[in-house]
Amino acid sequence: GGLRAAEVGFKELYRSRSWRRSLELLRDFSWRGEADVVAYNATISACVKCGQTSEAVQLFEDMLAFRLRPDVRSYTSVLRALEK
């Protein structure tokens, strides 16, 4: 379905290091109430890979504000951001 396609899309953006495009896609999903932990994790990871530390931390805080439950990958990614 559409959500599976979105998951694949986020993973492709993560691999291509396109953090800006991933962020745009995440915002689009958020406006529709469809952003989930997978989408946030992929976008946070893309930001970390590209050195966008403050953006990664902000996204993690946004997850919490939207009452999404971070998983191990969420915490690992944000910790990597804070290490840089």
Side-chain angles (χ1 to χ4, degrees):
L3 200 52
R4 176 72 181 133
E7 182 178 332
V8 170
F10 276 107
K11 287 182 180 179
E12 282 302 312
L13 289 169
Y14 165 74
R15 284 189 208 104
S16 71
R17 297 177 184 243
S18 182
W19 69 273
R20 283 188 178 103
R21 180 63 190 119
S22 186
L23 190 58
E24 289 171 12
L25 188 59
L26 179 66
R27 286 183 178 146
D28 184 45
F29 272 72
S30 292
W31 279 105
R32 295 184 294 179
E34 297 175 358
D36 61 6
V37 173
V38 172
Y40 272 92
N41 286 349
T43 306
I44 290 169
S45 294
C47 288
V48 171
K49 272 184 132 178
C50 296
Q52 301 299 316
T53 303
S54 59
E55 195 68 53
V57 172
Q58 181 60 55
L59 288 169
F60 182 81
E61 291 174 356
D62 291 348
M63 275 180 72
L64 298 175
F66 289 122
R67 301 196 187 279
L68 291 173
R69 181 178 235 139
D71 61 12
V72 171
R73 185 175 207 155
S74 310
Y75 287 105
T76 301
S77 293
V78 81
L79 287 174
R80 282 191 184 130
L82 294 171
E83 288 177 344
K84 295 186 177 202

